[in-house]
Amino acid sequence: MSRSPSRSVLPGFGLSLGYTLVYLSLLVLIPLAGLLVKSASLSLADIWAIATGPRALASFRVTFGASFAAACINAFFGLIVAWVLVRYDFWGKRFIDALVDLPFALPTAVAGITLATLYAETGVIGEWFAKAGVKIAYTPLGIVVALTFIGLPFVVRTLQPVLEDIEPEVEEAAASLGASRWQTFRRVLFPAIFPALLTGFTLAFSRAVGEYGSVIFIAGNMPLISEITPLLIISKLEQYDFVGATALASVMLVISFVMLLAINVLQWWASNRHRSGTAKAAPQGGAQ
């Protein structure tokens, strides 16, 4: 009995592929190509001179340092939030679950103004830190707060389906074999969720690197101290320094691409390592 050929919902691979390429070209490839073509008018020495200026280096340090710190914070606390939402039932769970998506829906400028008001020295939260000698708003610490706010949903929404696929019986089986809570997490749960956690970290980091709206209101925007690279690019465009803006954008694009490539390679390695470990464990379990 011959099988009927499988039918795809979208008609025609050629038509679907053509639509995909045109869509990606209009939105991604052509804008990026324009940036690279514009930067090609500069020599490497020119790009190097612009990118290694004191103000540019300080902005790179603030942008990538704050983005990395915010992504690390989100990886830790996002895991806890996802775990609580998946493993426990409590009153108001749906409300908290919906609250996670608020940074997606809230305009970034509104988020920046709100955070600056709350974390200023006279704000509801900032005054308590000010009494302890910690100033948040209008410092690099304020940038980390803003980037943490906008990056949290990426980690939580990436981890939630993975945690839902891990049955609670797995933890009970580990506990029945004498494993402590830390051993269960480190040797049973963490290898399974690590690829998803790394994906959430990557998404949060990528979003933070390009963030602009929520940062400018809380950063203070002081050159060499709390100025992010996107703001420096905007400043150069306002001064009609298109060459400088293009050079900075190109350097940022290259650094972001290299970092994302490295993280994706690490994610691929972690996924393969987890699969190979599961494949080895299956025959052993079957032999018993």
Side-chain angles (χ1 to χ4, degrees):
M1 197 175 166
S2 62
R3 287 185 178 179
S4 61
S6 60
R7 297 183 59 185
S8 175
V9 174
L10 293 179
F13 172 72
L15 180 62
S16 302
L17 179 62
Y19 175 80
T20 301
L21 292 178
V22 170
Y23 189 78
L24 288 178
S25 297
L26 291 175
L27 291 180
V28 180
L29 297 179
I30 293 178
L32 291 181
L35 176 63
L36 295 177
V37 168
K38 182 68 178 178
S39 62
S41 63
L42 300 172
S43 65
L44 290 177
D46 294 334
I47 296 176
W48 179 259
I50 295 172
T52 56
R55 191 174 173 184
L57 286 178
S59 72
F60 287 137
R61 188 165 54 249
V62 171
T63 300
F64 288 99
S67 299
F68 182 78
C72 290
I73 293 171
N74 278 326
F76 179 76
F77 288 102
L79 172 60
I80 296 176
V81 172
W83 181 268
V84 169
L85 291 175
V86 171
R87 282 290 191 265
Y88 300 102
D89 290 320
F90 53 91
W91 185 86
K93 176 181 176 180
R94 289 182 179 273
F95 174 73
I96 295 178
D97 193 32
L99 207 61
V100 172
D101 291 329
L102 183 62
F104 282 151
L106 195 66
T108 54
V110 176
I113 294 172
T114 305
L115 291 174
T117 304
L118 290 174
Y119 286 93
E121 291 184 76
T122 55
V124 176
I125 301 174
E127 65 175 342
W128 293 98
F129 285 93
K131 291 176 182 176
V134 179
K135 186 179 179 182
I136 298 178
Y138 316 122
T139 67
L141 188 57
I143 300 175
V144 175
V145 171
L147 298 182
T148 303
F149 173 78
I150 57 101
L152 178 64
F154 293 98
V155 177
V156 176
R157 295 307 183 212
T158 305
L159 281 172
Q160 269 185 304
V162 179
L163 289 174
E164 288 170 351
D165 286 342
I166 302 176
E167 299 292 338
E169 286 78 8
V170 175
E171 302 167 45
E172 295 171 3
S176 66
L177 293 174
S180 63
R181 289 184 175 181
W182 170 243
Q183 287 174 324
T184 302
F185 175 78
R186 183 172 63 89
R187 307 191 66 172
V188 178
L189 298 177
F190 189 73
I193 65 175
F194 182 63
L197 184 63
L198 204 55
T199 300
F201 174 87
T202 306
L203 293 174
F205 176 78
S206 305
R207 177 72 171 82
V209 167
E211 177 61 14
Y212 177 78
S214 64
V215 174
I216 56 173
F217 293 101
I218 196 174
N221 307 320
M222 291 178 285
L224 305 178
I225 298 176
S226 61
E227 185 181 48
I228 59 173
T229 306
L231 178 62
L232 182 57
I233 293 173
I234 293 294
S235 300
K236 288 187 175 297
L237 290 175
E238 291 175 344
Q239 298 166 2
Y240 301 101
D241 184 6
F242 300 114
V243 174
T246 302
L248 290 177
S250 302
V251 172
M252 207 169 171
L253 177 65
V254 172
I255 294 176
S256 300
F257 180 76
V258 171
M259 295 186 73
L260 287 177
L261 182 63
I263 293 173
N264 281 324
V265 169
L266 183 60
Q267 182 187 356
W268 172 81
W269 171 80
S271 300
N272 283 351
R273 186 168 176 267
H274 176 65
R275 287 197 201 100
S276 61
T278 306
K280 288 179 181 177
Q284 291 175 359
Q288 292 173 0

